[in-house]
Amino acid sequence: MKLKEIDRTAMQAWSPAQNHPIYLATGTSAQQLDATFSTNASLEIFELDLSDPSLDMKSCATFSSSHRYHKLIWGPHKMDSKGDVSGVLIAGGENGNIILYDPSKIIAGDKEVVIAQKDKHTGPVRALDVNIFQTNLVASGANESEIYIWDLNNFATPMTPGAKTQPPEDISCIAWNRQVQHILASASPSGRATVWDLRKNEPIIKVSDHSNRMHCSGLAWHPDVATQMVLASEDDRLPVVQMWDLRFASSPLRVLENHARGILAIAWSMADPELLLSCGKDAKILCSNPNTGEVLYELPTNTQWCFDIQWCPRNPAVLSAASFDGRIRVYSIMGGSIDGLRQKQVDKLSSSFGNLDPFGTGQPLPPLQIPQQTSQHSIVLPLKKPPKWIRRPVGASFSFGGKLVTFENVTGQPQQGAEQPRRQPVFISQVVTEKDFLSRSEQLQHVVQSQGFISYCQKKIDASQTDFEKNVWSFLKVNFEEDSRGKYLELLGYRREDLGEKRIKEEKQECDFLPSAGGGTFNISVSGDIDGLITRALLTGNFESAVDLCLHDNRMADAIILAIAGGQELLAQTQKKYFAKSQSKITRLITAVVMKNWKEIVESCDLKNWREALAAVLTYAKPDEFSALCDLLGARLESEGDSLLRTQACLCYICAGNVERLVACWTKAQDGSNPLSLQDLIEKVVILRKAVQLTQALDTNTVGALLAEKMSQYANLLAAQGSIAAALAFLPDNTNQPDIVQLRDRLCRAQGRSVPGQESSRSSYEGQPLPKGGPGPLAGHPQVSRVQSQQYYPQGGNPPPPGFIMHGNVVPNSPAPLPTSPGHMHSQPPPYPQPQRPQNGWNDPPALNRVPKKKKLPENFMPPVPITSPIMNPGGDPQPQGLQQQPSASGPRSSHASFPQPHLAGGQPFHGIQQPLAQTGMPPSFSKPNTEGAPGAPIGNTIQHVQALPTEKITKKPIPDEHLILKTTFEDLIQRCLSSATDPQTKRKLDDASKRLECLYDKLRDQTLSPTIISGLHSIARSIETRNYSEGLTVHTHIVSTSNFSETSAFMPVLKVVLSQASKLGV
């Protein structure tokens, strides 16, 4: 795109890169005349101001000269570090003279601007160049093979690079090497180029084209490769640019044939070696890639030839071209829009006429109208590829999951010969900024897995910094202990034992003063006074009248005693009358205790006595009203203006087991922006939900909007620290909030597996309570075999915390649910596992169970095992191996399939399934259901605790993230084969292969496989993804033949069987 234009028939030279602002020096060109045939000459300096949208360049200074110039260069000699206007303008004249000008004096308007001048050369000086390493050295070339090296510090006597070449010829081009400071090259119109070594003072190599049609018009060294150079030919019979490499200079390395006629000038960009400018007699200015010959950009020019072209040293996107039509144009190779430029040209043309009437018509000229151009003509496109100077040398970007992606364009040795695509490494690293947060999160997950809630709460109590924090963890700890209500009362400051001891002491003191009951006579008065009336009522059995008389005489104790003898109805009436007349401080408390009206106490008590109100509720409230009363008291505390009372509401919500209200209250009281503050909240939520699972027969899977938001924030924080599996486990599973659905989608994709679709049917044990006092099944619930409760963790990574619900279809090896009848369940002892299969591996597939059935099922059927989580699902240790339920295939298909599930401690009966106690073989003590209420509710003798058998746990290392794709791919292939196979023998082979591939996964966990085998396995996985099993078998054969047999014998034969079956089945 054209930026500026100067009407001059002149040679040109840009100011050095250190100089700012950018200047362009022009000197009247020799052997060229303009339309006026003027013989005057001048030296001008223009300023390049790209902020000015017009085409005009500001002329800073003009110096009238007596010389015309064949060549003009601007060297940085003696230029200061600040980049002020300085340096030296070096001009080659018509008569063999070289003139040095001071550009700063020219701009300042001084008359004495010539620094030095020498007439050493014979003929016009057409070639000049400055050494970029020693800026005081200037090379010049003229007729008769004359080449001189000038020292600007001692300009009197030049040096020669060596003896003149024979036969004598003109020097048209000269250039210093860009990498080696003592190497100089010269070229002549005859087509020969000579390379000089100034240390040896002789030519070291000559290159020439064998066609003898190469007339050199341009010479340039490669900016980076010291041995490469380009030569341009102005012969119309050979309009080429030849690229030579001096290491094999017998012929050109590459020939660029983009011009139709001879090339007049070339310029190689110092900022990007892949940009070479050339202009020719075909009136084209081309920007080409010399490594490939591709034309990257063609500048929009007119039909005039350009005889000189140069890159701007300071702005690498700008170039200038001098043409024979008497104009110097400045272009940009980055493209742009020319609409504004065209309009300014029109406005300038219109304003030049003003309101004159040049034609005597008596009317001014109308505004100049230009035809509207389509948008495609107003946009000038940039280069086809981004130039090197706008490519970022380094870059960094954070991605999902706390990954930091960085790259660095390392400047290596340039490619010789044909360009090879350079592979730049991209580094992906895990950034962890919240180490304390991650450590506490991992500790919480470990506690949930180990069920060590009491010890965890105790550690939190010991580490608490405030009394409130200590009270919260104390209340949470009580939920997991026996007699939780009694422990709650102790935390509130009320110990039954202390009160009992004090009462016994007072009774003993009272007994010392009581009169001894003697056997003497007493008088029964029937007088007319109040005692007589009471006596008559008692003698006649009229307790109601006797009570009324006692109340009338304010003898309350006598009235109550008589009312007790008169029956419950009379006692109730008497109590009401007593409470109506009594005005003591504790009357309302006594009223509530006797009348069991605890809502009155909670609603009306002074909030300064909230501890006493909570203690009363803990002591007397029934299980069905306990949670509501605690919530009511917490709501009153939360609505108060006192911040201390608002925080105490959390204790009420903990007693009530109301997780959502606890989250809301805690959020108001604490700073939620800090990750550690959010961790504090999640820790309390996790522990409280586990407590609710132990004591409350409610669905704990229900997640409110606020809790879901907090859990989503927590999952986001975990994901940002790289804990993808834990983040997915903590994410709420039964919500359709768009943000959570999107986060779940990203987490699944970050793990390299498909996004879950429709959730699989929930088993009925999810959301059922756990009995307090240790693991163990309830009555009528036979235990499921431990083999069946093995969990499959995604991608072989760390197992998520137990109790966290995840999608059923994220399990890699989960087949479709088994349709069963909801009305029949059979209980049989579990079959013993096959001897060749380890039974304590966390990744073992469930055992195959065979029972009599009416419908034929696949022999390899494995019921899906959901992964649980501590927040959204009641957790617990898998039960020891015991009685096992087997589904019957008879009966209609149900919407929620009933199939064997891993039994969690305290699971409630499967809905709609009849399980006779006679078949379960469970102790009679398990026949009572769990009737506990909220945490702290009264505990009846409804549950008999039984010592559960210890469950053996073995934890395996996670498979490294880069190898998870192997496990996912192989297991997915086996499942596809099982779905397509109909032959029982084939299915048995695939079942056996699935088990034996565990050896491969163990080796991946231990990282004991060689890099060659690992690479081959990834190649096999890629061939499986593309369904190219023949290629996978070829890679398999290569691995087996080139690796140690002992290293691969455990899994490679199995892998071959799977690939062969997949190819045979065409899955």
Side-chain angles (χ1 to χ4, degrees), residues 5 43 108 151 166 222 513 529 544 550 728 731 946 1055:
E5 190 174 69
L43 193 62
D151 186 352
Q166 297 297 329
H222 195 294
F513 299 99
D529 58 0
E544 183 174 356
C550 290
L728 189 58
L731 198 64
V946 64
L1055 198 53

Side-chain angles (χ1 to χ4, degrees), residues 53 55 337-349 370-374 377-379:
L55 289 177
S337 174
I338 61 175
D339 289 338
L341 183 61
R342 182 185 295 113
Q343 187 61 44
K344 288 183 181 299
Q345 290 176 322
V346 172
D347 295 342
K348 181 179 179 180
L349 183 61
I370 59 173
Q372 295 294 327
Q373 300 290 332
T374 59
H377 297 301
S378 62
I379 300 298

Side-chain angles (χ1 to χ4, degrees), residues 30 85 102 155 166 197 255 272 276 292 365 431 495 549 581 621-622 679 694 697 759 802 840 845 888 896 898 928 1045:
V85 175
D102 188 342
F155 196 65
Q166 297 297 329
D197 188 342
V255 177
D272 188 350
L276 178 66
T292 62
L365 291 175
V431 178
R495 288 177 55 88
L549 290 170
K581 297 183 67 174
K622 296 180 181 179
Q679 176 68 31
L694 286 170
E759 295 186 10
N840 53 4
S888 172
H896 295 279
S898 300
K928 297 180 181 181
F1045 177 77

Side-chain angles (χ1 to χ4, degrees), residues 1012-1067:
T1012 304
I1013 296 177
I1014 290 291
S1015 177
L1017 290 173
H1018 279 280
S1019 298
I1020 293 177
R1022 286 192 292 271
S1023 67
I1024 291 175
E1025 291 175 352
T1026 58
R1027 306 293 197 272
N1028 193 350
Y1029 302 115
S1030 59
E1031 180 183 348
L1033 289 171
T1034 302
V1035 176
H1036 179 280
T1037 303
H1038 177 73
I1039 296 175
V1040 173
S1041 60
T1042 58
S1043 60
N1044 189 350
F1045 177 77
S1046 62
E1047 192 177 6
T1048 61
S1049 59
F1051 58 90
M1052 290 305 286
V1054 179
L1055 198 53
K1056 182 177 181 180
V1057 170
V1058 175
L1059 289 170
S1060 301
Q1061 292 297 333
S1063 178
K1064 180 180 178 182
L1065 295 172
V1067 295

Side-chain angles (χ1 to χ4, degrees), residues 139 147 149 160-165 169 171 173-188 191-208 216 219-222 225-231 243-250:
I147 299 177
I149 309 298
T160 60
K164 293 183 179 181
T165 58
E169 55 188 353
I171 302 299
C173 309
I174 199 166
W176 291 97
N177 191 282
R178 302 301 183 183
Q179 298 295 320
V180 184
Q181 62 182 359
H182 56 82
I183 298 297
L184 179 70
S186 62
S188 62
R192 284 187 294 271
T194 305
V195 179
W196 306 82
D197 188 342
L198 300 189
R199 293 185 305 181
K200 298 180 180 180
N201 210 33
E202 64 180 11
I204 56 176
I205 194 172
K206 296 180 180 179
V207 295
S208 63
C216 291
L219 166 66
W221 286 100
H222 195 294
V225 183
T227 59
Q228 291 184 3
M229 57 189 294
V230 291
L231 299 174
M243 187 172 183
W244 292 81
D245 196 315
L246 301 183
R247 292 170 295 181
F248 29 92
S250 58

